[in-house]
Amino acid sequence: MKLPFKTYQIGMLLVALAVYSCSVEKYIPEDEFLYRGANLKFIDTVLDKNYKEVKTETEGVLYPQPNSRFLGMYPGLYFHYKAQRENPGIINKFFNKKIGEEPVYFSDVELSETEELIYNRLENRGFFYSLIESNSIIDSSSHTAKVNYEVTLKKPYVLETYQLEKDSLPSTDSLELVKKLEKAVVDENSVIKKGMRFDLADFKSERERIDEFLKQEGYYNFNGNFLIFEADTNTYDNKKFDLFLRLKDNVPDKSKVPYIIDDVDVYPNESIETRDQEKDTVSLDSLDFIQAKEFFKPKRLSPYILLKPGQRYNPILSKYTSRRISSIGTYKFVNIHYKENDTVVDENGFRHLDAIIELSPLQKRSLRAELQGVTKSNNFAGPGLGLTYTNRNWFKGGEQLNIRGSVAYEKQFSSGEQSGLSSLQLGLETSVRFPRLLFPIVDVNKRFKYSIPQTEVKLGIDYLNRSQLYSLNSYQTSFGYIWKANRYVTHQLNPININYVRLGNVTEEFNEILNQNQFLRRSFEQQFIAGLTYGFTYNELVDNYRTGALYFNFNFDIAGNTLSLFDQSATDEDGNAVNEFLGLQYAQYAKGDIDIRYHYKLNDDGQLLIARLFGGLGYSYGNSESLPFVKQYFAGGPYSVRAFRIRGLGPGSYQPTDESSYNAYFDRAGDIRLEANLEYRFPLFNYVNGAIFTDAGNVWLLRENDALPGGKFSSSFTNELGIGSGVGVRVDIQGFVIRFDLASPLKRPAKSFEFEYDSPVLNFAIGYPF
């Protein structure tokens, strides 16, 4: 299997032999030497420690960077030289544009300047009077040169005491500021600790911490640049120092006093069109809501605003207020700013300001259409259409109404007994998300500072008709809560989650399938599913700056326990005793799964390595001998093991006699699912990314099933994994991703490794797999 390198990487491989035979040496001017870079060696004569962060920072000043090499060659430099010829040719010009590099010569290196930079970085880190030596190594035969720097570290200065320099502080009229600074210096969160090495980076962090601390205490006009650190090394003989924090001279008076909020003015519908309109003011909860006509009800918006008159200025409350309002989903922009009211200090030592909150709404109503092309493992293919209507402020309280209708038609393109099979699916779902707790039992402002939980109610109807098999009517409803505990953690709890499935128009062919597999029959007989679901998500992917980011998701689903308190005994069609609720046989089970992903940035060019692990387990009990069909796990397809089609694996080592028959589609599901994926992603060119991946996984049963031999989970499960590998192309336009993945099996369950390159599976999907 050939790997999909970037365009210029492929080119480099194609011309590798030419580059080997055409060295860049003949292009180097006679009076120049190609710079090969520098080595930096640390000698710690006192403490025998490896100061990794100091070495990393010091290596960063080694300038210039040498030309890049590939397998001992200089491809970028080579094509640069070739492109400078009178007639460079199209190929040389193309590769010079893609990877060409200007030559870096030894004459560009300033040894004395670099030594000064190294010395400066070491002093900033507390290593004073270090010795730095440099020597050049010139190779006349290859016209190259390199530099070695040897740094002998002296014992660093360490902190003995850290205190406030009170002589620099303002007079008694700013006594509160003095107390706040004294409190900040002795705070346990201080970056400065006794015994720490002299380090300017830590001093900067401490100054930023104190600035943030004073801002939260109301010092609206304070600036961290007003603070300065002074070190005294004269008191001690053994490389210790005292650190003093003081205020700079000429700090403005307005920066030395705290500020109090007088008024909070809220503009719930601020835009270019409404800015000059005459507005009315409604006062509620000491807030002033100013709008031309009621766009957002004040009583609904008030709980999101943490700023109140009489409070000290606090940027954290502004930040939380902005985030809480943004979470409603009604507003595009949230702008919070302040206006100073006067230039004098009141009798209590405060100055005053007003908080102004300007909110610019999104388009209230929208209609979105989705057209899809669908292909499935059982050779079904066809179009699908979805229409979604959204109202983002339904009752003028941020309520979001979504109504989605969908229709899909699929036809099976195959021969023999399956020829002409078709499927028609109709769906209608309505959901309303309230940006607040319905039936609250706690004070949301005291309990939920980061964000206010939201309530979501859903109601859906689906109709599925499979020709020559059956029709299925499905009704769903749920009621639950969604809330973000912090930037990374999200909870979702649905205490009410009800599903009613009704199987109808069953043909003789489908009855025969059910009769051959009692496990499948029982999964379809569970018409009523009522229970509770809970989801927990921890997501570091929201931080784009992270080199490595973790995603963790846990879902739990339990059904039937409450219904068992009100059930009635009955007998099914086969004379077996069952329990029913309102005349319907209900499901009883517990199910949980974990999805762990780790994204690692290999560089800043968009190259990523992603690893994923998934594990799921469902256990039926009481009134159920198996999981309902819609709750069973399956493997394969564009979001699973991509070398196998949807429901193309398992359970276990089970293999249907005819994989293309439609009954095989229903058999290949289970109670357990294990899966692992590894994917390398890289950019190809604008808006197009490539991928190389390997997937492994399968599903298993918890109980023996004569109709599915080899399906039960056992200690040999690792031998029953389906493994595949492949390549992919993804078109990514501002987050909308169209994905094509081509994969072939490496190992089928309970079989030896064999790369089936002649049996590839093409997956088409929207969005990344994980």
Side-chain angles (χ1 to χ4, degrees):
M1 181 178 63
K2 294 182 179 180
L3 305 179
F5 288 86
K6 296 179 181 178
T7 302
Y8 66 83
Q9 289 175 313
I10 296 174
M12 284 196 296
L13 292 177
L14 293 176
V15 300
L17 292 177
V19 176
Y20 268 118
S21 60
C22 301
S23 170
V24 299
E25 181 182 339
K26 62 183 179 182
Y27 298 106
I28 302 174
E30 291 186 3
D31 58 341
E32 293 285 6
F33 296 91
L34 191 65
Y35 183 53
R36 289 281 304 276
N39 293 320
L40 183 63
K41 180 181 179 182
F42 276 82
I43 300 176
D44 188 345
T45 59
V46 180
L47 301 178
D48 191 26
K49 288 184 178 180
N50 178 23
Y51 295 101
K52 184 178 179 180
E53 76 282 1
V54 177
K55 185 175 182 181
T56 300
E57 182 178 341
T58 308
E59 287 176 341
V61 305
L62 300 181
Y63 183 83
Q65 292 295 319
N67 291 108
S68 58
R69 292 194 293 173
F70 176 73
L71 300 178
M73 305 176 294
Y74 292 90
L77 185 58
Y78 173 78
F79 285 112
H80 169 79
Y81 282 134
K82 297 287 283 185
Q84 308 310 308
R85 300 187 305 180
E86 185 175 348
N87 296 306
I90 296 176
I91 294 179
N92 289 325
K93 290 172 66 177
F94 172 79
F95 282 106
N96 180 51
K97 183 179 179 180
K98 289 292 183 181
I99 62 170
E101 295 180 356
E102 294 277 349
V104 180
Y105 297 124
F106 181 63
S107 59
D108 299 323
V109 180
E110 298 289 345
L111 294 180
S112 59
E113 290 184 7
T114 303
E115 288 181 8
E116 282 188 29
L117 289 173
I118 294 174
Y119 194 85
N120 175 263
R121 294 299 186 274
L122 293 175
E123 283 194 334
N124 290 346
R125 293 289 189 169
F127 296 95
F128 294 93
Y129 313 115
S130 297
L131 300 179
I132 304 173
E133 296 181 358
S134 61
N135 62 83
S136 307
I137 302 175
I138 297 176
D139 187 341
S140 300
S141 61
S142 63
H143 280 270
T144 60
K146 60 191 303 185
V147 179
N148 289 328
Y149 294 96
E150 187 174 273
V151 179
T152 302
L153 294 178
K154 298 298 184 178
K155 181 180 178 181
Y157 281 83
V158 296
L159 178 68
E160 180 65 21
T161 65
Y162 171 41
Q163 52 194 295
L164 185 66
E165 178 57 73
K166 295 185 178 181
D167 292 341
S168 69
L169 297 175
S171 58
T172 55
D173 60 341
S174 297
L175 185 59
E176 182 182 351
L177 178 59
V178 176
K179 293 180 179 179
K180 296 298 182 184
L181 287 171
E182 287 181 326
K183 181 179 179 181
V185 167
V186 298
D187 194 306
E188 62 179 11
N189 295 317
S190 173
V191 179
I192 310 300
K193 306 290 183 183
K194 181 179 180 179
M196 65 171 284
R197 189 178 71 248
F198 181 98
D199 196 320
L200 286 185
D202 287 338
F203 299 162
K204 180 180 178 182
S205 297
E206 175 71 355
R207 187 172 66 178
E208 292 173 352
R209 184 192 68 83
I210 295 175
D211 178 39
E212 182 179 349
F213 167 77
L214 291 175
K215 288 278 200 320
Q216 294 177 29
E217 293 292 329
Y219 289 82
Y220 174 73
N221 279 312
F222 194 83
N223 191 305
N225 292 326
F226 297 153
L227 298 172
I228 189 171
F229 287 101
E230 292 182 348
D232 181 7
T233 61
N234 297 322
T235 307
Y236 309 99
D237 297 327
N238 54 350
K239 296 244 177 157
K240 292 183 179 182
F241 71 97
D242 294 325
L243 186 67
F244 297 91
L245 173 70
R246 73 176 187 85
L247 282 177
K248 291 182 179 179
D249 297 332
N250 301 319
V251 174
D253 290 338
K254 65 179 182 179
S255 301
K256 300 176 184 178
V257 295
Y259 280 73
I260 279 184
I261 298 174
D262 284 343
D263 296 315
V264 180
D265 297 333
V266 185
Y267 295 82
N269 186 18
E270 193 69 3
S271 64
I272 296 176
E273 293 79 11
T274 63
R275 188 172 296 276
D276 296 328
Q277 292 179 359
E278 186 176 342
K279 299 179 177 65
D280 294 326
T281 301
V282 175
S283 297
L284 179 69
D285 297 333
S286 68
L287 307 176
D288 292 331
F289 295 86
I290 306 168
Q291 48 190 330
K293 61 179 180 179
E294 190 176 69
F295 173 79
F296 206 112
K297 294 179 180 178
K299 70 175 182 178
R300 295 303 184 196
L301 190 55
S302 176
Y304 288 86
I305 300 172
L306 298 176
L307 303 176
K308 304 292 181 183
Q311 289 178 342
R312 287 195 179 200
Y313 164 78
N314 188 338
I316 297 298
L317 294 180
S318 296
K319 180 180 177 180
Y320 282 10
T321 297
S322 177
R323 181 171 55 237
R324 287 155 70 100
I325 295 175
S326 297
S327 70
I328 297 174
T330 301
Y331 291 105
K332 178 168 53 176
F333 299 114
V334 178
N335 179 27
I336 301 178
H337 57 97
Y338 295 86
K339 183 183 71 173
E340 295 185 53
N341 284 339
D342 49 48
T343 58
V344 297
V345 179
D346 65 18
E347 65 275 8
N348 296 317
F350 293 101
R351 290 196 178 196
H352 298 261
L353 44 74
D354 292 336
I356 301 170
I357 304 175
E358 296 178 330
L359 309 177
S360 299
L362 291 160
Q363 189 70 30
K364 183 176 180 179
R365 300 176 182 86
S366 65
L367 184 65
R368 186 177 72 248
E370 299 175 6
L371 181 63
Q372 296 180 340
V374 180
T375 61
K376 294 184 178 179
S377 61
N378 49 0
N379 296 318
F380 271 92
L385 175 65
L387 291 174
T388 303
Y389 167 79
T390 299
N391 187 319
R392 295 184 177 87
N393 192 21
W394 192 18
F395 298 126
K396 299 183 179 180
E399 301 84 2
Q400 182 167 302
L401 169 69
N402 286 290
I403 302 175
R404 187 178 192 279
S406 61
V407 57
Y409 177 79
E410 302 166 9
K411 188 175 179 62
Q412 195 165 39
F413 295 91
S414 57
S415 58
E417 62 173 355
Q418 303 174 58
S419 178
L421 290 179
S422 63
S423 172
L424 175 65
Q425 185 172 8
L426 304 173
L428 179 65
E429 182 184 81
T430 300
S431 68
V432 182
R433 180 172 291 192
F434 300 86
R436 54 188 173 274
L437 278 176
L438 295 186
F439 316 116
I441 57 175
V442 297
D443 185 332
V444 293
N445 281 324
K446 291 182 178 179
R447 180 64 182 86
F448 303 104
K449 286 292 185 183
Y450 186 84
S451 66
I452 293 179
Q454 300 183 340
T455 305
E456 187 172 56
V457 181
K458 287 184 178 181
L459 178 65
I461 304 173
D462 284 293
Y463 170 77
L464 174 65
N465 187 311
R466 285 190 179 275
S467 67
Q468 302 180 29
L469 291 175
Y470 62 87
S471 65
L472 195 68
N473 292 295
S474 178
Y475 308 90
Q476 313 94 31
T477 185
S478 65
F479 174 90
Y481 303 102
I482 304 169
W483 73 97
K484 290 185 69 68
N486 53 50
R487 179 174 173 80
Y488 308 109
V489 175
T490 303
H491 302 269
Q492 183 164 359
L493 173 66
N494 291 319
I496 300 175
N497 193 49
I498 299 174
N499 245 325
Y500 171 56
V501 180
R502 183 175 181 181
L503 190 64
N505 299 326
V506 178
T507 65
E508 290 298 326
E509 289 87 348
F510 191 61
N511 256 327
E512 185 177 345
I513 295 174
L514 295 179
N515 290 333
Q516 292 175 357
N517 188 343
Q518 293 301 312
F519 176 85
L520 182 63
R521 172 183 285 278
R522 288 191 292 269
S523 70
F524 270 102
E525 287 175 346
Q526 302 173 65
Q527 299 174 333
F528 196 68
I529 305 172
L532 173 148
T533 63
Y534 169 73
F536 170 87
T537 301
Y538 176 82
N539 183 16
E540 293 180 344
L541 298 176
V542 296
D543 293 334
N544 293 326
Y545 65 85
R546 290 180 180 267
T547 301
L550 175 69
Y551 173 91
F552 175 86
N553 177 253
F554 168 72
N555 289 300
F556 180 70
D557 182 358
I558 187 169
N561 287 357
T562 302
L563 295 183
S564 65
L565 301 175
F566 309 99
D567 62 16
Q568 295 179 339
S569 298
T571 304
D572 63 14
E573 296 178 357
D574 299 325
N576 299 318
V578 295
N579 294 320
E580 295 181 346
F581 178 76
L582 300 178
L584 301 172
Q585 185 175 340
Y586 64 88
Q588 205 167 4
Y589 65 88
K591 179 184 175 185
D593 48 60
I594 293 176
D595 188 349
I596 304 173
R597 309 169 192 177
Y598 189 76
H599 289 229
Y600 183 79
K601 288 184 181 179
L602 297 174
N603 54 34
D604 294 329
D605 297 330
Q607 297 187 46
L608 291 171
L609 187 65
I610 300 99
R612 174 179 176 257
L613 292 173
F614 180 92
L617 171 65
Y619 178 72
S620 57
Y621 57 91
N623 203 40
S624 300
E625 296 183 25
S626 65
L627 290 177
F629 182 76
V630 295
K631 296 293 183 178
Q632 293 173 357
Y633 292 109
F634 61 88
Y639 300 94
S640 180
V641 186
R642 285 161 279 185
F644 300 85
R645 296 191 183 275
I646 298 174
R647 292 181 176 268
L649 281 170
S653 60
Y654 168 73
Q655 187 71 26
T657 306
D658 182 5
E659 285 196 47
S660 63
S661 65
Y662 49 72
N663 58 339
Y665 176 84
F666 300 102
D667 288 341
R668 315 202 76 172
D671 309 310
I672 300 172
R673 178 184 168 197
L674 296 176
E675 198 166 292
N677 312 81
L678 185 65
E679 181 167 299
Y680 166 57
R681 297 175 188 166
F682 51 89
L684 290 172
F685 39 88
N686 285 346
Y687 305 116
V688 180
N689 299 322
I692 305 170
F693 57 83
T694 298
D695 307 318
N698 205 344
V699 295
W700 292 266
L701 301 173
L702 280 175
R703 302 178 178 92
E704 290 284 359
N705 186 343
D706 294 337
L708 304 172
K712 185 181 179 182
F713 186 81
S714 65
S715 58
S716 61
F717 74 94
T718 54
N719 187 45
E720 295 173 352
L721 293 172
I723 304 175
S725 188
V727 297
V729 175
R730 292 84 189 276
V731 181
D732 188 343
I733 303 175
Q734 294 183 344
F736 178 77
V737 179
I738 300 174
R739 175 165 56 93
F740 299 91
D741 289 330
L742 185 67
S744 295
L746 292 173
K747 181 184 179 300
R748 292 186 179 272
K751 293 185 178 181
S752 58
F753 280 89
E754 180 182 0
F755 181 40
E756 301 178 24
Y757 61 88
D758 56 345
S759 303
V761 175
L762 178 63
N763 296 275
F764 168 76
I766 304 297
Y768 287 105
F770 41 81

